[in-house]
Amino acid sequence: MPHTEAVDAARRALWSHFVHTDNQMFYDYWWGEPGFVHLPAPELICREVPNAAGWGTGMENCALNAAQVLPGALLRHDLAPDDQTEYEARTLFLGLLRLFDVAVDAGFLPRGVGLDGVSHYPNSSADQYTMVLYGLHCYARNSIATAQERQSVRDIWQSVLARWERDGWEDRREDGAPAMYGEMNRISADRASRLLAALLGGFAVTGDAHWQKVYRRKLEEQDYARLRTGVPRVDGALYVLDQNQVAWRLLWE
């Protein structure tokens, strides 16, 4: 199969089996039965069944999924602009906005919402934020972004960083309880570049000089330890390499 045909086939599969266009969510699993009937009901989500992150439900990585595909959708629109490519990029973006809009605690990023478009599990993760902030950055720089959409990106970024700073650079659960995988401040290979990218990106997007000052402080902490520990082992988990590449890309841009 020629390369372009393979890309088109993958694109059709994504939009036919993973994206729920009504609530603009990019769900996790390919299910043949229409309607995404496998997703948990709102009452189960409220009870944190089967777990606080929704792992195994099919809605545990909606934020990460959409944010990973969004830069490619924007590139496709740049190369071959038409109504469909613009619709796809904006749908993914609006899904990310929806996640922040339904959050009770401003700046919290739900992993995904149920079929009611609101219900969500209370535990996010550093991985979700890393991908989403980069996706928002790409969208805000693109020609299809409206002034209102760019302002939404600025507001989101400001809220995310303010929430982390409030909680000692930890991404806590939406209800304020300790979270799994929420340690944003840890100086380690799987975290160091993530916080730096969020802070420097936050300054670039919002223009708030406070985040530039915090970035410099975190950069220089312990004799630039985040630079020295920010490259994961090549035999480590693939997702860590993936996340770090995105963080370094954002820092570079």
Side-chain angles (χ1 to χ4, degrees):
M1 179 184 296
H3 175 68
T4 53
E5 291 183 18
V7 171
D8 286 339
R11 177 191 181 202
R12 288 193 299 272
L14 291 178
W15 286 89
S16 299
H17 296 276
F18 293 92
V19 181
H20 189 295
T21 54
D22 289 344
N23 64 12
Q24 300 151 328
M25 283 296 105
F26 194 133
Y27 291 113
D28 291 84
Y29 305 145
W30 176 310
W31 290 83
E33 188 175 358
F36 296 89
V37 296
H38 61 284
L39 294 173
E43 56 268 24
L44 293 179
I45 298 172
C46 183
R47 288 164 44 203
E48 300 179 26
V49 177
N51 51 70
W55 290 322
T57 63
M59 56 177 285
E60 60 262 44
N61 288 310
C62 301
L64 186 153
N65 295 337
Q68 281 185 309
V69 175
L70 179 54
L74 291 167
L75 177 60
R76 185 182 186 98
H77 178 70
D78 289 341
L79 296 175
D82 59 27
D83 291 344
Q84 183 62 28
T85 56
E86 181 172 344
Y87 165 78
E88 291 177 3
R90 179 161 282 114
T91 296
L92 295 171
F93 172 74
L94 292 177
L96 298 180
L97 293 195
R98 176 188 291 269
L99 293 174
F100 287 102
D101 285 344
V102 302
V104 177
D105 189 13
F108 175 74
L109 172 59
R111 292 166 172 263
V113 296
L115 291 179
D116 63 354
V118 176
S119 301
H120 55 276
Y121 290 94
N123 198 99
S124 190
S125 76
D127 296 344
Q128 307 294 320
Y129 284 96
T130 301
M131 286 297 184
V132 167
L133 291 179
Y134 183 67
L136 294 178
H137 164 73
C138 291
Y139 190 89
R141 297 176 69 193
N142 195 272
S143 61
I144 72 170
T146 66
Q148 182 177 356
E149 289 171 340
R150 291 191 175 97
Q151 184 60 50
S152 294
V153 172
R154 287 192 286 270
D155 292 342
I156 286 170
W157 216 302
Q158 186 76 15
S159 296
V160 168
L161 293 179
R163 182 173 180 269
W164 288 352
E165 186 174 44
R166 179 197 72 190
D167 294 333
W169 301 106
E170 179 183 354
D171 181 62
R172 301 180 71 83
R173 285 173 38 133
E174 188 176 26
D175 57 11
M180 300 173 287
Y181 306 112
E183 323 94 313
M184 302 307 303
N185 199 40
R186 192 172 71 216
I187 300 178
S188 62
D190 64 341
R191 286 292 185 275
S193 60
R194 319 277 195 96
L195 181 58
L196 294 179
L199 287 166
L200 190 58
F203 167 61
V205 168
T206 68
D208 187 341
H210 173 68
W211 304 126
Q212 185 185 39
K213 293 177 183 177
V214 179
Y215 165 77
R216 294 297 310 181
R217 189 164 69 244
K218 295 296 183 183
L219 178 70
E220 297 169 6
E221 189 175 355
Q222 297 183 30
D223 191 24
Y224 294 88
R226 283 186 172 83
L227 293 184
R228 289 184 282 106
T229 61
V231 179
R233 291 168 22 190
V234 294
D235 60 346
L238 179 61
Y239 77 90
V240 175
L241 291 168
D242 186 29
Q243 296 281 330
N244 279 40
Q245 283 183 332
V246 169
W248 287 114
R249 175 80 186 196
L250 178 53
L251 284 165
W252 178 80
E253 290 184 4

